[in-house]
Amino acid sequence: MTAITRRSVLAALAASPLLLQPAWAQTALKISHQFPGGTLTEGDFRDRLTRMFAAEVEKRSKGALKFSIYPGSSLMKTNAQFSAMRKGALDLSLVPLSYAGGEVPEVNIGLMPGLVTSYDQAYGWKNAEVGKELARILYDKGIVMLSWIWQGGGMASRGKPVVDPDDAKGMKIRGGSREMDLMLKAAGAAVVTLPSNEIYAAMQTGAMEAALTSSTSLISFRLEEVSKALTTARAGSYWFMLEPLMMSRSVFDRLPKDQQQLLLTVGAELEAFALKSSKEDDQQVANVYQKTGSKVVDMNPAALKKWQDIAKTTAWKDYSEKSPSCANLLKLAEKTL
């Protein structure tokens, strides 16, 4: 065999992960998230979803793909996960997309106040222009979307329920994203910035008086223990968060095509479980808080419109002015309203 021929064969092997990977090869992947750990059948549904994903992919790949799951930010800090995936230092994570807004401004659209107000609208994004463009942006930034997971959210309060914008005046409130904070500030609130797994301590000490977060987090982080009132998402909300299961593109690209497709297929199949679980938690959170004696109220259309009007002139405007890319995403998202 000539040197040129040998080089040609080696080059072909290097370009083909299928040829390089023997049939018995096993790929071990790590999934990180910030939520409390549980089991396949018990606990926070976001942790359960990662376990269901891992079990199903391992089964269908006949053990070629295996996963270790690290709940409760036990592998790395919450806000380090997105960046780690982009660098290939973390394989997968289920994380609120807006947490990465400082790194990739476009993703703040995943928690834009009043832009998504129902699950039907939220889950329509994936196949709409806005979803396709957001997925493209993430792919270009080194992230592959596996499961589109949306959650409605409500507000737990140490004192009175917060329904109308006037109710928020003078209160220290956690919004969950820069855009949510802009709306709250315009309503007269003082904003507090921290991830959802740190809300309990802040409310316990009084450093924060109220917090917006998903219905599931309102339950999982036991915020009923430090709250006296709850505004639910049962009747609609201006707080809908996209917190998908994502994968490092550099890790994804190293896998054979059949394994890539398997990951995408199982991820998509679990979206129905996520939707069902989110809706159940919107109702369950009310039951949990009522049992502790908290005053439980629902958002109403009139109050929702007031919040949305504030958001349009603050958060939406600020976001669209960041870049042509952000302006285009917002335009596409408004088509789904």
Side-chain angles (χ1 to χ4, degrees), residues 33-36 44 46 73 78-79 94-96 99 151 174-176 192-203 208 211-214 216-218 220-223 239 241 243:
H33 67 75
Q34 75 202 59
F35 309 107
D44 188 303
R46 294 161 298 192
S73 301
T78 302
N79 290 333
L94 195 160
V95 63
Y99 284 13
Q151 286 199 273
R174 182 261 188 186
V192 180
T193 303
L194 41 74
S196 58
N197 54 323
E198 297 177 16
I199 292 174
Y200 186 102
M203 287 188 66
M208 184 169 63
L212 279 162
T213 191
S214 67
T216 308
S217 289
L218 286 166
S220 291
F221 295 121
R222 309 189 322 276
L223 299 184
W239 198 101
M241 172 178 271
E243 44 187 335

Side-chain angles (χ1 to χ4, degrees), residues 201-280:
M203 287 188 66
Q204 187 177 42
T205 62
M208 184 169 63
E209 296 172 274
L212 279 162
T213 191
S214 67
S215 297
T216 308
S217 289
L218 286 166
I219 299 169
S220 291
F221 295 121
R222 309 189 322 276
L223 299 184
E224 76 279 3
E225 296 177 2
V226 290
S227 304
K228 292 183 179 178
L230 173 73
T231 306
T232 82
R234 290 182 298 187
S237 178
Y238 53 81
W239 198 101
F240 269 86
M241 172 178 271
L242 177 57
E243 44 187 335
L245 177 62
M246 297 174 281
M247 186 170 187
S248 166
R249 177 183 168 182
S250 63
V251 176
F252 182 85
D253 285 348
R254 289 199 297 267
L255 297 175
K257 294 294 183 184
D258 62 327
Q259 292 184 358
Q260 292 178 353
Q261 188 56 53
L262 175 59
L263 293 166
L264 293 169
T265 298
V266 175
E269 289 173 359
L270 285 169
E271 288 166 2
F273 167 75
L275 173 58
K276 178 176 178 288
S277 299
S278 294
K279 288 183 174 181
E280 288 174 351

Side-chain angles (χ1 to χ4, degrees), residues 73-87:
S73 301
S74 56
L75 183 64
M76 62 180 64
K77 291 183 178 179
T78 302
N79 290 333
Q81 295 172 124
F82 186 86
S83 180
M85 281 192 292
R86 291 186 67 196
K87 297 171 183 174

Side-chain angles (χ1 to χ4, degrees), residues 116-167:
V116 174
T117 59
S118 72
Y119 285 108
D120 285 344
Q121 181 196 0
Y123 276 86
W125 269 37
K126 180 178 180 178
N127 295 316
E129 291 176 280
V130 61
K132 292 175 181 177
E133 177 62 8
L134 181 57
R136 183 197 65 78
I137 290 169
L138 286 166
Y139 188 77
D140 287 347
K141 298 293 184 182
I143 299 290
V144 177
M145 294 278 275
L146 298 179
S147 290
W148 288 69
I149 302 165
W150 285 89
Q151 286 199 273
M155 188 180 295
S157 171
R158 283 166 51 95
K160 63 183 180 182
V162 179
V163 180
D164 267 54
D166 285 344
D167 297 331

